[in-house]
């Protein structure tokens, strides 16, 4: 499994061009390059050193050393060559540490307002060579005057090798054609805006090399995760869709997975506050206590808005190890009544204010035996679906009646 260190290292490489667009803005004259470099120097995640500027005929050249704070061995050389009349910077960042290695070429628009950027790399290595990204290309734009940005990244191959000297087999994960798309356009003052994103892969293979014998543990023919979000006033709504085809476990026949999930009446300011606090805590461990306080306060704010979560469909048709063929289909809804909720009583009133309904249209016997609590196994096996569970006024329900009464019959 990819660890946090490798994720951070890969993320720094992909957004390196974008950071330059944030740091070097305004006039491209040599006397202003140093002034705008201060924005990059002020970024807590990056240490900037060995800064030099050189004035040439009709252009200015800036070089600097970049090192990621908190990630030993992650750093590189930055070179930006800017023409006096040009509004675009071009350069290369070279990483040669154990955490990340490779070269990223980029272009970045300069100035205020909406500016585009692009970057590419033939190959990037991370986590001491365990993670390799091949043929990375990305582009997007940043609007410094609004909460508006876009990022599109395509990676031809992603490979992760888990070579454990104490294990009997080495694991290798290979992903082909990884696509990430993100656009965020929110105007909090106007109370409007939309965001959407997509993460897709064309093929995934997880193979173990057991003493020279390859063994495929799992695979995907393709997967597509999408989300859309909208801000209306101060309320945020989010819809999530997941689709995966040709899902294979241990040479099983191919299966599929589909999920549609919608969250409504979320407080945007509360979500944003938690995200900001989480980023600060990640950079400074001393702020973890403040993060806990913020989570408590913002969770109350979220609940007081009476949020609702709708599971429109979860469809599963796969062959699982030890379970055999599993076909399941369920839907449901969960809502919280936050009317008049008080902060000091939020935890005590949680169960009494929660309402939920979950419908299992299809649930195979093997999944009931493996996943259901023992008290429910015989009950479910002796009844035909759909199985309708609920929660209301602090009590569990089955088809509208108290669950304990249904179990007693």
């Amino acid at each position: 499994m990819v660890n946090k260190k490798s994720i951070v290292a890969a993320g720094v490489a992909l957004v390196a061009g974008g950071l330059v667009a944030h740091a070097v803005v305004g006039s491209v004259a040599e006397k202003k390059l140093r002034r705008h470099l201060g924005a990059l120097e002020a970024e807590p995640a990056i240490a900037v050193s060995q800064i030099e500027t050189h004035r040439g005929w009709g252009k200015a050249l800036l070089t600097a050393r970049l090192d990621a704070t908190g990630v030993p061995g992650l750093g590189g050389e930055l070179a930006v060559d800017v023409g006096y009349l040009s509004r675009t910077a071009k350069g290369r960042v070279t990483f040669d540490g154990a955490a990340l290695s490779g070269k990223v070429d980029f272009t970045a628009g300069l100035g205020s307002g909406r500016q585009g950027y692009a970057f590419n790399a033939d190959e990037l290595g991370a986590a001491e060579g365990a993670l390799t990204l091949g043929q990375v290309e990305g582009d997007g734009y940043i609007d410094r005057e609004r909460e508006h940005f876009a990022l599109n990244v395509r990676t031809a191959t992603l490979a992760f090798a888990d070579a454990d000297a104490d294990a009997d087999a080495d694991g290798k994960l290979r992903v082909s054609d990884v696509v990430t798309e993100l656009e965020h356009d929110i105007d909090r003052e106007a109370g409007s805006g939309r965001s959407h994103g997509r993460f897709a892969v064309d093929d995934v293979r997880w193979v173990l090399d057991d003493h020279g014998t390859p063994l495929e543990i799992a695979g995907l023919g393709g997967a597509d995760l999408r989300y859309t979000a909208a801000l209306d006033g101060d309320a945020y709504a989010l819809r999530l869709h997941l689709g995966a085809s040709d899902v294979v476990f241990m040479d099983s026949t191919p299966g599929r997975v589909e999920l549609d999930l919608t969250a409504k009446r979320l407080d945007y300011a509360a979500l944003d506050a938690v995200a900001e606090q989480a980023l600060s805590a990640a950079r400074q461990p001393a702020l973890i206590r403040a993060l806990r306080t913020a989570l408590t306060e913002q969770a109350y704010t979220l609940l007081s808005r009476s949020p609702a979560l709708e599971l429109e469909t979860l469809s599963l048709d796969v062959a699982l190890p030890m379970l055999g063929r599993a076909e399941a289909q369920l839907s449901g809804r969960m809502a919280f009544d936050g009317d008049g909720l008080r902060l000091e009583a939020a935890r005590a009133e949680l169960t009494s204010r929660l309402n939920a309904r979950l419908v299992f249209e299809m649930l195979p016997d093997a999944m009931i035996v493996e996943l259901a609590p023992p008290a429910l196994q015989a009950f479910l096996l002796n009844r035909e679906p759909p199985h309708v569970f609920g929660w209301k006024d602090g009590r569990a329900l089955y088809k509208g009646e108290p669950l304990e009464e249904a179990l007693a019959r």
Side-chain angles (χ1 to χ4, degrees), residues 14-15 17-18 21 107-109 115-119 138-142 149-152:
L14 294 180
V15 302
T107 61
Q115 298 294 336
Y117 63 88
F119 55 88
D139 60 48
Y141 57 82
I142 299 171
F149 60 86
L151 171 67
N152 303 293

Side-chain angles (χ1 to χ4, degrees), residues 381-397:
L381 290 173
N382 292 326
R383 284 165 173 78
E384 292 292 328
H387 302 294
V388 184
F389 290 92
W391 183 273
K392 187 176 182 180
D393 298 328
R395 301 188 69 180
L397 307 174

Side-chain angles (χ1 to χ4, degrees), residues 18-52:
L19 289 175
V20 173
H22 279 289
V24 188
V25 293
S27 173
V28 296
E30 184 268 343
K31 64 180 181 180
K32 291 188 177 182
L33 279 176
R34 278 184 172 272
R35 188 188 74 183
H36 293 299
L37 185 66
L40 187 59
E41 293 179 287
E43 172 56 48
I46 299 176
V48 185
S49 61
Q50 302 176 21
I51 303 169
E52 294 185 8

Side-chain angles (χ1 to χ4, degrees), residues 230 232 234-238 262-268 271 301-310 333-338:
D232 184 5
D234 56 2
Y236 202 53
L238 176 67
T262 302
K264 299 179 179 179
R265 296 194 295 274
L266 302 176
D267 188 281
Y268 184 79
L271 292 174
T301 303
L302 288 169
L303 291 175
S304 66
R305 293 297 304 270
S306 299
L309 186 67
E310 297 180 1
R333 185 177 190 272
M334 182 172 62
F336 186 86
D337 180 8

Side-chain angles (χ1 to χ4, degrees), residues 371-386:
L371 303 177
L376 282 177
Q377 288 179 10
F379 176 80
L380 294 175
L381 290 173
N382 292 326
R383 284 165 173 78
E384 292 292 328

Side-chain angles (χ1 to χ4, degrees), residues 28 39 48 50 72 84-85 128 182 186 200 246 263 291 325 335 345 351:
V28 296
V48 185
Q50 302 176 21
Y84 284 114
L85 301 179
E128 298 181 345
L182 176 64
I186 295 291
D246 295 331
L291 173 61
R325 199 74 191 179
T351 57

